[in-house]
């Protein structure tokens, strides 16, 4: 082990007084993930103010063998930014590095530092008549660096892709302290491997993202939000294809939920009511958008799309939100599912995906299977049908103690869900990542060839395993916990 | 060195008689690249019929230390598929593996093997009312595997991106013979590094692409092709921004050429004439497209876009092709630049890019600089302004012998062009790759941090350097030729 006092002195010399603290009161909030599932300890909280400081600090850590846990908004879902219990690591917060370095409206690009908060990014873009086409629940704390490191998803992936698709350029610090400078955007550049792709989604295990060039789009001119009632999830899948054919790039969202889930939400929200008069096995929330150039024809196109769907028997009933308030109301129903479900008792949640075309079949298979194997549970699937990504939640039987559930049947159910997903060629992590939460499941369920490549790349770029050790990559084949 | 006879026997046992040849008549055509710039020798030509045969062959090569040069249509521009002079390597042709494994119109995906020729892919997609949104001059020979290995570009990158953007899933064989099976498409999958990105654009140095899942789009409903006259390249850049704002995703092409270049083309083509009455410093060829759903309004939108541009003084004159024949005629002018230029004598050609917004300034700087430093030469820039990618050609002074030019001043001019591009934060290879042609330039001009990462990744995934050795990655820092 390193000489801690000497290490901290040198670190303080690099970062200045504001840049380093070992004060327990200041450290504590960052030692536990926001959902309270993981807690660790750390030597110090380092808060560099510039890329050069990050580089110098990484070199220092490499010399002393001090592990580094990079952290953005600490709002991840899988414990990827929480240190382990050893207390040997430092937390490297990027939050002080939150500058917008450059804004180019005509090139539709923004260059910003890793600590910029997503909501601030939305505001900066909006003030210039532009928008950043990715959003999610944690936008008030999630940072650009964390979004990149986890390749974050959200509700606009159907149209715009996940974070990977928004990153045009990237700056990062590698395990030896070298700065990878890839901020300059070249629309075409075939000088070998696209190295920025390695850092995106690597959860800080291959390098530390310090800045990025992100793509922007013109601000929206208008939107139409539709609520549709459907006889089955397979029908929803057919409707999705119809909407993609008819609306093309205007289709920005396509979310689904079953009738019982909607009933729970209506009970949960005091003033809410069912958007449609009748009851339907499944419901779809569909959003079409247009920029200013296309805003005029959006209403017509939405109506034509729905008329065609009715004619072809693709839906039972549908309504277009009459105004923005009603549109917001429709989205509130979707966004309240998690809260409504919490009232029903403890649950285990799974962020899973299967190939889009298999999703209806998978849900029709998995929901009754779980409810049969685990009597008294209630399984529900909802979310981003268009992405093949559903949130598959299983609610405990009445009266079960939360702790008993989480460590007993709930855990066994999760293992079963992940096995089923893997058998269906799906992913045990659609948008939340692996972190420490799912690393051992990844080791058990992943294709050995994939695991081997991941290990080779990790060992090549971080030979001393100082970058977020213990996260994402199951390094030792036979002993997943290292 | 290996026991060659034993190696060939074992290889024949894996591949069968049809799958292996050492016959000089059959080997010869594949020992030289199609432009005739590079020639090598090889132990044998291996033509596996299935992924398992590729895997077994790679394992055999690994055991015997026999280098592998993967080859598709042999229509690359940088010698990336041509073996070296040692004769120790085998050529691994993927051309026999040309099956369409699966076509899913509703999911807009095709799964095909690496040897499928691009033109056949276009035909297969077209027969189902779909299209594959990437095309280029070598489409009659270029294969899917080669397009992926080189991350090919073409004329539709502005709207649809390069090959990387078309690859949804990928199957490949790694240096140890392990099969990476990533064909299943998950729109969202955050289980760690996106490994397929490593193989795309790696020119066969990290793995051998054997199959891919590619995205398809609905066939085009209609297009409008515009010819515009402009006072400067900076004006063309402003016009591009205007077109992007007005036409949005309908804008599929934006190519530029200077008046003298157009004059050369008109002289070269017997029946061609200037699209516009007057003379203009620069000309732009603009294409807007629409699928069936949007075809009706395309004409109106094109006219509105041009009216707005005229009103804002963004162009001097413009004409919309009156019919498909005239549209083809406009494109013929663009596609004949290279042929027209060949009549003017030997030239050196550079496939370069700089950030889109800097391109006008770069061309205005580089053209006179080269013509001043090298009296009697003529420099011309044309191509994909929207991608920041121009083809920058320099024609030799009258009477210079081609061989003298290529090995003397031409070579020195290329070195100067690549230095200038690097100083402007650009790329010495926008779309053609590195291969053996530009490997040493890459070693000299690339950022050391990038080179280090490339080397680390190459050594990790191909520790014995049997996959396309000597291409792309300058492995030895001090001795670029290994």
């Amino acid at each position: 082990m390193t000489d801690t006092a000497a290490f901290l002195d040198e670190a303080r010399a690099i970062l200045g007084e504001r840049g380093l603290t070992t004060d327990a009161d200041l450290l504590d909030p960052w030692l536990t993930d926001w959902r309270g599932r993981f807690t660790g300890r750390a030597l110090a909280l380092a808060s560099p103010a510039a890329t050069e400081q990050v580089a110098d600090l990484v070199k220092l850590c490499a010399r002393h063998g001090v592990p580094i846990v990079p952290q953005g908004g600490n709002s991840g879902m899988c414990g990827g930014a929480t240190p382990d219990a050893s207390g040997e690591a430092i937390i490297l917060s990027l939050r002080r590095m939150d500058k917008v370095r450059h804004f180019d409206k005509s090139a539709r690009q923004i260059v910003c530092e890793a600590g910029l908060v997503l909501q601030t990014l939305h505001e900066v873009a909006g003030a210039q008549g532009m928008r950043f086409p990715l959003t999610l629940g944690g936008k008030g704390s999630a940072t650009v660096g964390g979004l990149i490191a986890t390749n974050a998803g959200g509700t606009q992936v159907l149209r715009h892709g996940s974070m990977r698709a928004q990153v045009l350029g990237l700056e990062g610090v590698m395990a030896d302290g070298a700065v990878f400078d890839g901020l300059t955007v070249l629309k075409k550049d075939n000088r070998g491997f696209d190295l920025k792709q390695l850092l995106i989604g690597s959860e800080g295990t291959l390098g530390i993202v310090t800045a990025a060039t992100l793509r922007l789009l013109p601000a929206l001119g208008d939107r139409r939000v539709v609520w549709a009632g459907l006889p089955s999830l397979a029908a929803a899948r057919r409707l999705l294809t119809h909407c993609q054919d008819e609306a093309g790039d205007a289709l920005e969202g396509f979310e689904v939920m079953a009738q019982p889930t909607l009933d729970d939400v209506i009970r949960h929200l005091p003033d809410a009511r069912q958007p449609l008069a009748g009851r339907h096995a499944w419901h779809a929330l569909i959003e079409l958008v247009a920029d200013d150039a296309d805003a005029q024809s959006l209403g017509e196109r939405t109506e034509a799309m729905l008329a065609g769907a009715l004619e072809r028997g693709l839906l039972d009933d549908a309504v277009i939100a009459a105004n923005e308030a009603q549109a917001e109301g429709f989205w509130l129903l979707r966004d309240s599912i998690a809260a409504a479900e919490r009232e029903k008792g403890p649950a285990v949640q799974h962020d899973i995906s299967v190939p889009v075309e298999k999703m209806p079949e998978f849900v029709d298979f998995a929901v009754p299977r779980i409810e049969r194997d685990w009597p008294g549970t209630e399984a529900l699937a909802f979310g981003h049908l268009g992405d093949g990504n559903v949130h598959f939640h299983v609610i405990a039987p009445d009266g079960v103690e939360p702790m008993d559930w989480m460590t007993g049947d709930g855990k066994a159910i999760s293992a079963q869900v992940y096995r089923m997903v893997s058998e269906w060629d799906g992913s045990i992590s659609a948008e939340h990542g692996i972190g420490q939460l799912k690393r051992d499941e990844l080791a058990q369920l992943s294709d050995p060839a994939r695991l081997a490549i991941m290990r080779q790349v990790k060992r090549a770029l971080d030979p001393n395993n100082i970058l977020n050790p213990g996260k994402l990559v199951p390094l030792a084949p036979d002993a997943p916990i290292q």
Side-chain angles (χ1 to χ4, degrees), chain A:
Chain A
M1 207 17 224
T2 185
D3 176 346
T4 303
F7 168 79
L8 290 175
D9 282 347
E10 286 187 72
R12 193 166 282 114
I14 292 167
L15 301 167
E17 280 301 324
R18 263 194 74 195
L20 192 82
T21 182
T22 54
D23 183 332
D25 288 345
L26 296 172
L27 251 174
D28 253 22
W30 310 106
L31 295 174
T32 300
D33 76 310
W34 74 280
R35 295 202 296 180
R37 295 197 172 188
F38 300 97
T39 296
R41 291 170 54 232
L43 209 55
L45 173 69
S47 306
T51 303
E52 302 70 44
Q53 290 186 1
V54 177
D56 289 343
L57 182 67
V58 171
K59 280 177 200 156
L60 177 69
C61 289
R63 217 159 55 234
H64 286 264
V66 171
I68 299 165
V69 179
Q71 199 178 74
N74 194 27
S75 46
M77 304 290 275
C78 302
T82 308
D84 66 15
S86 72
E88 291 173 4
I90 59 158
I91 295 176
L92 197 165
S93 160
L94 279 303
R95 289 182 290 273
R96 264 179 87 197
M97 290 180 57
D98 63 352
K99 279 195 281 298
V100 173
R101 292 193 191 163
H102 187 62
F103 192 103
D104 186 337
K105 183 172 178 174
S106 114
R108 301 182 172 185
Q109 294 168 6
I110 183 170
V111 182
C112 60
E113 293 182 338
L116 188 70
V117 169
L118 180 56
Q119 188 161 317
T120 311
L121 172 57
H122 286 158
E123 289 162 7
V124 169
Q128 304 274 345
M130 305 296 283
R131 66 170 174 144
F132 179 67
L134 184 144
T135 193
L136 38 72
K139 65 183 172 185
S141 56
T143 61
V144 165
L147 295 165
I148 293 172
T150 59
N151 185 29
T155 55
Q156 292 168 307
V157 175
L158 176 67
R159 166 77 181 91
H160 301 290
S162 60
M163 195 66 187
R164 188 180 300 278
Q166 322 310 327
V167 178
L168 304 175
L170 193 146
E171 177 192 88
V173 174
M174 310 305 291
D176 59 359
V179 176
F180 168 71
D181 177 4
L183 285 177
T184 301
V185 177
L186 296 170
K187 205 166 146 61
K188 276 167 149 177
D189 180 15
N190 268 346
R191 288 174 295 172
F193 324 145
D194 187 354
L195 299 173
K196 72 173 179 295
Q197 303 292 352
L198 273 176
L199 296 192
I200 300 170
S202 70
E203 303 187 6
T205 63
L206 300 182
I208 298 163
V209 175
T210 50
T213 309
L214 303 174
R215 75 171 178 136
L216 301 173
L217 293 176
L220 286 179
D222 201 1
R223 69 167 176 173
R224 288 291 183 282
V225 177
V226 176
W227 195 278
L230 301 152
S232 68
L233 201 53
R237 168 75 187 120
R238 287 192 295 274
L239 178 62
L240 169 63
T241 302
H242 171 80
C243 293
Q244 286 176 317
D245 288 344
E246 295 293 312
D249 288 336
L251 184 67
E252 180 136 326
F254 196 104
E255 302 277 313
V256 295
M257 70 183 80
Q259 181 72 54
T261 306
L262 179 58
D263 292 339
D264 290 341
V265 172
I266 299 288
R267 269 192 297 274
H268 169 73
L269 292 173
D271 300 321
R273 50 198 193 97
Q274 305 266 352
L276 300 172
R279 293 176 69 76
H280 306 273
W282 283 87
H283 295 260
L285 175 59
I286 308 164
E287 177 160 315
L288 272 69
V289 302
D291 56 22
D292 282 329
D294 289 322
Q296 271 195 315
S297 61
L298 185 65
E300 273 172 46
R301 292 184 67 176
T302 307
E303 280 164 31
M305 179 187 85
L306 291 178
L310 262 173
E311 200 173 293
R312 294 176 54 196
L314 297 176
L315 50 78
D316 292 336
D317 195 8
V319 57
I320 305 176
N323 49 47
E324 189 55 27
Q326 201 177 9
E328 288 287 339
F330 286 1
W331 271 107
L332 182 63
L333 296 176
R334 160 66 183 86
D335 292 339
S336 302
I337 295 175
E341 178 212 293
R342 261 198 298 274
E343 290 179 358
K344 301 186 76 178
V348 280
Q349 297 150 359
H350 313 94
D351 159 47
I352 57 176
S353 67
V354 298
V356 180
E357 62 278 13
K358 288 189 187 174
M359 183 49 87
E361 207 187 331
F362 176 78
V363 171
D364 289 347
F365 163 81
V367 167
R369 168 64 65 96
I370 291 291
E371 292 181 345
R372 186 199 76 188
D373 289 356
W374 304 91
T377 62
E378 182 185 346
L380 50 131
F382 63 91
H384 326 296
L385 179 69
D387 306 334
N389 172 204
V390 294
H391 296 291
F392 189 88
H393 293 191
V394 183
I395 301 169
D398 287 343
V400 171
E401 279 302 310
M403 274 311 290
D404 293 347
W405 167 254
M406 296 302 288
T407 55
D409 286 356
K411 199 167 174 173
I413 289 170
S414 290
Q416 184 178 348
V417 169
Y418 292 140
R419 267 200 315 277
M420 290 194 299
V421 165
S422 298
E423 284 160 10
W424 282 65
D425 284 337
S427 171
I428 64 170
S429 179
E431 58 179 6
H432 296 163
I434 298 294
Q436 47 185 305
L437 177 66
K438 295 181 182 174
R439 191 198 56 186
D440 296 349
E441 279 83 358
L442 185 69
Q444 287 152 22
L445 296 169
S446 191
D447 171 22
R450 267 176 201 266
L451 278 180
I453 302 171
M454 281 182 69
R455 288 179 182 128
Q456 285 158 357
V457 171
K458 167 69 175 173
R459 289 194 179 115
L461 296 186
D462 181 20
N464 298 315
N465 196 22
I466 64 164
L467 292 180
N468 218 3
K471 313 291 165 54
L472 177 56
V473 189
L475 267 182
D478 301 320
I481 310 277
Q482 50 185 340

